């Protein structure tokens, strides 16, 4: 498991879950017990998790947990803007700032796997402006940058 920083600073996870439930209600989407638990696992680990990392945690609580259960929960969370997929490393994360648009970029270390989410709203705003000028409607965006973290450079 790797860690993200910055997006979890000063977050009340209980309050975030209340906001997530409210968001789902406004969309007529059901935040089931399993979906809620997958979201909690991501938040509690404050990081980027692979589906099987989530499954390992779920299996400790419920031996009947299956990969399809996790993938369906993740699909629901992504579809409803509660989770995001890091395409390049096939992992998932969630921003607990449910009531606001989380605009951040991911810095991914190719050596140790550490992932940091850093908020740079100007980068997203610039991308949105270019997309609008081209008549392109953005439905999802996660900006990923690969490289080497400061620890691995030493």
């Amino acid at each position: 498991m790797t860690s993200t920083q910055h997006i979890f600073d000063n977050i009340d996870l209980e309050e975030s879950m209340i906001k997530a439930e409210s968001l789902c209600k406004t969309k007529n989407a059901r935040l089931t017990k399993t979906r809620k638990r997958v979201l909690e696992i991501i938040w509690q680990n404050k990081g980027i998790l692979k589906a099987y990392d989530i499954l390992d945690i779920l299996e400790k609580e419920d031996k009947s947990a299956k990969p399809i259960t996790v993938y369906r929960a993740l699909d629901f969370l992504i579809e409803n803007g509660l989770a995001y997929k890091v395409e390049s490393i096939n992992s998932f994360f969630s921003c607990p700032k449910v009531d606001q648009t989380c605009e951040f970029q991911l810095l991914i270390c190719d050596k140790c796997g550490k992932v940091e989410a850093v908020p740079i709203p100007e980068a997203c705003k610039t991308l949105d402006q270019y997309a609008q000028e081209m008549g392109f409607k953005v439905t999802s965006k996660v900006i990923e940058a690969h490289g080497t973290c400061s620890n691995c450079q030493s």
Side-chain angles (χ1 to χ4, degrees):
M1 288 183 236
T2 56
S3 66
T4 53
Q5 297 173 351
H6 308 297
I7 62 173
F8 288 90
D9 294 345
N10 303 314
I11 298 294
D12 179 342
L13 296 182
E14 190 173 313
E15 182 180 317
S16 294
M17 188 57 72
I18 292 168
K19 290 177 181 177
E21 290 170 340
S22 177
L23 175 72
C24 287
K25 281 182 186 174
T26 63
K27 294 181 171 190
N28 290 325
R30 281 191 53 229
L31 188 59
T32 63
K33 180 181 172 186
T34 301
R35 293 168 178 170
K36 183 177 178 179
R37 184 64 189 123
V38 169
L39 187 56
E40 287 172 344
I41 289 168
I42 295 170
W43 286 348
Q44 288 167 348
N45 284 278
K46 296 182 180 182
I48 308 293
L49 297 172
K50 294 197 177 286
Y52 279 88
D53 294 333
I54 297 167
L55 180 61
D56 288 344
I57 294 167
L58 277 179
E59 283 179 330
K60 290 175 184 165
E61 301 166 6
D62 178 4
K63 293 289 184 199
S64 67
K66 303 281 184 244
I68 192 70
T69 306
V70 173
Y71 282 111
R72 285 183 180 152
L74 289 167
D75 287 345
F76 172 87
L77 295 172
I78 290 167
E79 182 179 316
N80 287 283
L82 295 170
Y84 306 91
K85 183 174 184 181
V86 184
E87 297 289 341
S88 63
I89 58 174
N90 197 27
S91 297
F92 303 88
F93 73 101
S94 177
C95 178
K97 296 180 182 179
V98 174
D99 59 340
Q100 55 188 284
T101 302
C102 286
E103 295 190 328
F104 45 82
Q105 294 70 46
L106 302 176
L107 304 177
I108 304 165
C109 180
D110 292 324
K111 289 191 177 184
C112 70
K114 179 180 179 183
V115 179
E116 287 195 46
V118 292
I120 307 173
E122 301 81 26
C124 288
K125 192 178 290 184
T126 300
L127 180 61
D128 288 340
Q129 287 172 341
Y130 277 103
Q132 185 177 12
E133 288 172 15
M134 297 177 71
F136 186 85
K137 182 179 178 183
V138 177
T139 56
S140 172
K141 84 183 134 194
V142 176
I143 300 171
E144 302 177 27
H146 285 264
T148 309
C149 71
S150 59
N151 289 338
C152 291
Q153 289 177 34
S154 314

